[in-house]
Amino acid sequence: MVPEGWTETRLGEIVIHRKGYAFDSKDYDQAGRRIIRISDTTRDGIGNERVVCVPHEVAKDLETYALDTGDVLLSTVGSRPHLLDSMVGKVVRVPEGVKGALLNQNLVRLDPISRDINREHLFAVLKDKRFIYYISTLVRGNANQVSITLAELFQYKFSLPPLPEQKKIAEILGTWDRAIEVAEKQLKNAEAQKRALMQHLLAGTHRLKGFEDSEWKTVKLGDVCEFLDGMRKPIKAADRATMQGQNPYYGATGIIDWVDAFIFDEPLLLLGEDGENILSRNLPHVFRIEGKSWVNNHAHVLRPKSEVSHAFVCEFLESLDYRKYNSGSAQPKLNKKVCESIPVLLPCFEEQKAIGAILEISDQQVHNCKAKLNHLRTEKRALMQQLLTGKKRVKVEEAA
């Protein structure tokens, strides 16, 4: 039912679009005019990690593809919508620092053509989970890449409040956006601080007080950890559905279910064996487990030997770049033999414990920042559901 005073409309009735230009990758350079590709977009914005430009002589006749601050961009290819970072139909806004960049192919800019909707409200509509669900009904393609057509996309129907109410809704959601932005910066700072600590402490370039004279030695991971891979095994999904237990069921990425059976009942380390993220620096697929648990055949199970700190080995494994250890092809993989041969720079047991304790404190700070950010995002999504459906109405004369 359409809320009182609202109208039902289709996306194609209120926006026009501009497709990105098909740049030739042979023209890519580190200097010149920046271009914005799908790979530059993140879940909530545009990153600056792998900036690509084209020479000014290439860009001089392409001003119609130039972006402005606040422009709304949508991707027309990507993964299925459950993978929010790479999904087809992902929507982002252009930040101020990207103004003037040129739009690449497979991205489109959406501009309101009707005075009945403003750009901030349009963005909120396209970030709503109902729009994401709608996209999931349109996607076509294989498991790795899917696409959508704009003709189908523009058939999306939604209820539109009067313009003054839109602006008030945008003000309220903007307050949450700013809080989320602050939380994101806090998380980045906490992660950067931890990376710096890991770099110095795990390499021995910064020694803790009292351990300056003790020597470190290089050993193999298989020398300090026993691999219990022979004990891990999968449980059929149908069997898991009937268990409904209290014991965590681990895979390559962490807990994937809860079951009433268990294989292990002791402190252990898990290292993800396969999956796309093994080729990324953004792990970790390394985690500690305690108590009763079941592990399937997609994660290595490690038991650190005596006089080896669980915390130290866990932090060391988390610090590695696993791309050089990949033994797969289409499906990245870390086999047991390769893992056992990974070199480990090892201090004495007491220094291991001290380093592990410091990094665990840093871990907790990162965890707290993530929890705060996730809480804000969850609360905002819940509020969006109320405001964008008219279940919760705002009074235009009220302050945000």
Side-chain angles (χ1 to χ4, degrees):
M1 180 180 293
V2 179
E4 183 180 354
W6 293 29
T7 57
E8 188 173 67
T9 187
R10 296 182 187 272
L11 183 60
E13 297 172 353
I14 59 169
V15 300
I16 57 173
H17 72 279
R18 161 70 70 178
K19 291 184 178 181
Y21 182 76
F23 288 94
D24 190 333
S25 60
K26 293 186 295 185
D27 293 327
Y28 289 176
D29 201 346
Q30 294 182 339
R33 189 80 171 267
R34 182 176 180 181
I35 63 173
I36 301 301
R37 306 160 296 166
I38 282 184
S39 58
D40 295 318
T41 62
T42 65
R43 180 183 305 191
D44 296 305
I46 295 176
N48 297 302
E49 294 181 0
R50 296 180 295 275
V51 173
V52 167
C53 303
V54 292
H56 288 290
E57 56 268 24
V58 174
K60 63 181 180 180
D61 298 322
L62 300 174
E63 285 303 315
T64 55
Y65 299 94
L67 298 173
D68 198 0
T69 302
D71 280 347
V72 177
L73 308 182
L74 180 141
S75 62
T76 57
V77 299
S79 60
R80 294 187 179 276
H82 68 285
L83 299 173
L84 297 180
D85 289 316
S86 58
M87 64 171 277
V88 64
K90 176 174 55 177
V91 177
V92 299
R93 276 184 293 198
V94 175
E96 185 174 354
V98 180
K99 180 179 180 179
L102 303 176
L103 189 65
N104 196 24
Q105 63 182 345
N106 297 326
L107 285 169
V108 297
R109 187 183 73 212
L110 301 179
D111 296 317
I113 57 174
S114 171
R115 293 183 179 179
D116 295 329
I117 186 170
N118 67 11
R119 191 164 56 181
E120 289 74 19
H121 191 82
L122 171 64
F123 179 74
V125 167
L126 299 180
K127 295 295 283 187
D128 185 45
K129 71 176 184 179
R130 289 171 299 162
F131 180 69
I132 295 174
Y133 172 77
Y134 178 75
I135 289 173
S136 71
T137 67
L138 303 178
V139 296
R140 55 180 58 83
N142 58 38
N144 296 321
Q145 181 165 296
V146 295
S147 62
I148 54 177
T149 68
L150 292 178
E152 292 174 314
L153 185 78
F154 290 157
Q155 292 301 309
Y156 177 65
K157 292 194 299 185
F158 60 98
S159 298
L160 191 65
L163 192 59
E165 194 168 350
Q166 290 179 44
K167 292 179 179 178
K168 186 60 61 176
I169 291 172
E171 287 180 31
I172 295 170
L173 296 179
T175 301
W176 284 86
D177 286 335
R178 289 187 289 276
I180 289 171
E181 184 178 351
V182 170
E184 288 173 337
K185 290 179 180 178
Q186 291 172 339
L187 175 58
K188 288 181 180 179
N189 289 338
E191 290 175 334
Q193 290 173 1
K194 187 192 173 185
R195 285 195 298 270
L197 276 173
M198 294 173 77
Q199 181 179 355
H200 293 295
L201 293 178
L202 296 175
T205 56
H206 178 84
R207 300 299 298 274
L208 299 180
K209 186 176 181 180
F211 299 103
E212 295 88 348
D213 297 327
S214 64
E215 294 185 1
W216 290 38
K217 58 183 179 180
T218 300
V219 298
K220 293 180 180 179
L221 183 59
D223 296 330
V224 295
C225 289
E226 179 184 0
F227 280 69
L228 307 179
D229 288 3
M231 299 175 64
R232 60 185 185 168
K233 55 184 177 180
I235 305 176
K236 293 181 179 179
D239 294 333
R240 286 179 8 219
T242 64
M243 288 186 174
Q244 302 295 320
Q246 300 296 315
N247 302 324
Y249 177 74
Y250 288 93
T253 57
I255 297 174
I256 57 177
D257 209 339
W258 295 85
V259 296
D260 56 14
F262 65 94
I263 304 175
F264 305 101
D265 189 8
E266 60 179 302
L268 297 167
L269 302 178
L270 298 186
L271 172 61
E273 178 180 351
D274 53 25
E276 293 180 3
N277 284 344
I278 286 175
L279 293 182
S280 169
R281 283 295 286 115
N282 298 320
L283 287 169
H285 283 324
V286 183
F287 32 91
R288 299 173 65 181
I289 64 175
E290 302 276 348
K292 295 178 180 179
S293 62
W294 191 294
V295 181
N296 71 16
N297 56 346
H298 295 290
H300 295 294
V301 183
L302 287 69
R303 176 193 286 150
K305 297 181 179 179
S306 60
E307 297 304 304
V308 177
S309 164
H310 283 63
F312 179 87
V313 176
C314 184
E315 298 292 347
F316 176 82
L317 291 174
E318 187 180 321
S319 72
L320 297 177
D321 184 346
Y322 288 93
R323 289 173 291 189
K324 61 184 176 182
Y325 298 115
N326 171 42
S327 55
S329 52
Q331 174 74 358
K333 188 176 182 66
L334 297 172
N335 66 42
K336 177 182 175 182
K337 185 176 180 180
V338 170
C339 289
E340 289 178 326
S341 66
I342 292 175
V344 180
L345 190 59
L346 198 69
C348 70
F349 183 56
E350 293 302 321
E351 190 171 2
Q352 291 176 43
K353 291 195 295 183
I355 291 173
I358 292 173
L359 293 178
E360 283 187 317
I361 293 173
S362 187
D363 271 336
Q364 187 60 49
Q365 292 171 339
V366 171
H367 173 78
N368 292 342
C369 289
K370 285 182 178 179
K372 178 181 178 181
L373 178 58
N374 289 335
H375 174 73
L376 288 171
R377 285 173 171 167
T378 300
E379 290 293 310
K380 184 196 170 186
R381 285 194 296 269
L383 182 60
M384 286 177 66
Q385 287 297 300
Q386 297 289 314
L387 296 178
L388 296 179
T389 59
K391 292 179 181 178
K392 184 178 181 66
R393 301 295 294 269
V394 298
K395 293 182 180 180
V396 175
E397 66 272 19
E398 287 182 346

